[in-house]
Amino acid sequence: MSSAPHRVAVLVYDGVTLLDVAGPAEVFKEANRFGADYRIVFLSPTGADVTSNLGVRIAVDGAVASEPAADTLLVAGSDRYPRARVPGDLADATRIPAATAGRVASVCTGAFVLAAAGLLDGKRATTHWQVAHQLAAWCPTCRVEADAIYVRDGATYTSAGVTAGIDLALALVEEDHGPDLAREVARALVVYMQRAGDQSQFSAPLQGPPPRSPALRRITDLVTANPRRDHSLGELARHLNVSPRHLTRLFHDELSTTPARYVESIRFDMARALLDQGHTATQAATLAGFPSYESMRRVFARKLSISPAAYQRRFRTTRRPGAG
């Protein structure tokens, strides 16, 4: 470990999303309890204090132009972007410290600020899935990966919506100090450290809008609340007092899937979380409601092209295989 502290500069501005700032900062602060040496400073374009999206005032340590070079420059997002173009002064305030920073990272729509500063040109990037198409349009030379939690391209890191900033910060801590210290931080903050950058931004119940039909919503809520129950087509149809054919049509029309596939996706998502928590593959299969380990293994092979055991080994770290 270097004797000099690792300087983390967080760029904030009026309207910045408070959680984009506080989440990663808390990770770095907590890492100091376990032997890291991060010095966190909050910088604004002019050196003036700023007001977050929640109206909370953020006291800053200085202006970006007058501060020493950062080891890590972190640019938080704002719900103002991409509803509006990033102002030139904010883009300039990002470009200046980025030129000397060891690495540059963004949280959520902070990617739009990096793009406006020309820092994503020709690079892979991500942002919140709801606005990923707009980032691709605003930065046509970027390769936007809409379903990633975070993306690293060289010394540039971008992350998805809000809490993905915590995942990214944990990955940066692991990069600096190894998985053991990062895992201690994750445990202290009661969050997972196993969500690797190339995992999906959202779990099965959150993919797409909720069902329009109150009846179908009752079924999806029932499955999500307890995946271990008997969720055969006949049982689900009886729950609504409709025919299996009618229920299948509802799933097809509103969710573009079948009842069986929906149940499977919920069980898969729960099994993956259980493996992340350290359960054995057999335990995960039982707790998630799969009829057998073999049925769970087939689903993992189809969705991830790996076995449950291989998944568990791969995602005991935040790093993507081969990331560099």
Side-chain angles (χ1 to χ4, degrees):
M1 183 184 303
S2 171
S3 58
H6 182 114
R7 186 178 176 83
V8 179
V10 183
L11 178 60
V12 295
Y13 46 89
D14 284 330
V16 71
T17 299
L18 187 60
L19 187 55
D20 287 3
V21 177
E26 188 69 25
V27 169
F28 292 118
K29 180 195 73 69
E30 194 69 21
N32 288 342
R33 293 183 52 226
F34 296 99
D37 190 9
Y38 292 106
R39 185 189 171 201
I40 308 164
V41 294
F42 299 99
L43 308 179
S44 69
T46 64
D49 293 349
V50 302
T51 303
S52 75
N53 64 320
L54 297 182
V56 176
R57 195 161 187 80
I58 301 175
V60 305
D61 298 288
V64 291
S66 61
E67 289 293 311
D71 297 293
T72 298
L73 172 67
L74 183 69
V75 181
S78 169
D79 57 13
R80 293 180 177 179
Y81 314 120
R83 290 186 298 160
R85 288 283 182 177
V86 176
D89 59 345
L90 179 54
D92 291 341
T94 304
R95 192 180 302 110
I96 292 169
T100 55
R103 61 192 178 197
V104 179
S106 66
V107 181
C108 198
T109 57
F112 286 86
V113 181
L114 296 190
L119 300 174
L120 296 184
D121 291 345
K123 295 184 177 181
R124 297 165 44 249
T126 193
T127 187
H128 194 290
W129 63 273
Q130 288 182 317
V131 294
H133 66 289
Q134 289 171 273
L135 180 62
W138 286 20
C139 186
T141 66
C142 303
R143 195 172 91 207
V144 179
E145 300 182 9
D147 193 24
I149 290 177
Y150 66 84
V151 169
R152 175 186 178 184
D153 191 320
T156 303
Y157 302 71
T158 50
S159 63
V162 288
T163 57
I166 294 175
D167 294 286
L168 174 57
L170 284 167
L172 295 178
V173 169
E174 180 180 358
E175 185 176 291
D176 296 336
H177 298 284
D180 291 341
L181 190 145
R183 191 172 292 113
E184 289 297 326
V185 174
R187 286 172 178 160
L189 296 178
V190 199
V191 297
Y192 295 129
M193 74 163 282
Q194 291 88 355
R195 293 208 308 168
D198 55 354
Q199 284 187 260
S200 175
Q201 287 190 25
F202 36 83
S203 61
L206 297 180
Q207 292 186 25
R212 297 185 303 275
S213 161
L216 186 55
R217 190 172 299 183
R218 287 203 301 274
I219 291 298
T220 57
D221 288 348
L222 177 71
V223 174
T224 304
N226 188 356
R228 297 180 64 184
R229 288 184 55 168
D230 176 8
H231 294 311
S232 63
L233 177 59
E235 187 63 28
L236 292 177
R238 281 192 292 275
H239 187 79
L240 287 184
N241 197 27
V242 299
S243 69
R245 184 176 180 180
H246 180 69
L247 182 61
T248 300
R249 188 183 309 116
L250 282 177
F251 268 89
H252 179 269
D253 291 346
E254 294 201 37
L255 299 178
S256 300
T257 190
T258 66
R261 286 295 191 195
Y262 184 84
V263 171
E264 179 186 88
S265 68
I266 298 299
R267 287 173 173 167
F268 166 74
D269 210 54
M270 183 175 183
R272 196 164 61 171
L274 289 164
L275 291 172
D276 287 346
Q277 294 169 20
H279 292 272
T280 67
T282 302
Q283 289 171 335
T286 301
L287 293 172
F290 282 100
S292 66
Y293 165 77
E294 181 58 27
S295 64
M296 182 179 78
R297 189 195 64 76
R298 288 195 297 268
V299 173
F300 268 73
R302 188 175 70 250
K303 288 180 175 287
L304 299 179
S305 300
I306 56 176
S307 69
Y311 167 86
Q312 193 170 46
R313 288 194 301 269
R314 180 175 298 180
F315 295 121
R316 282 190 183 279
T317 168
T318 60
R319 294 176 184 169
R320 299 174 68 164

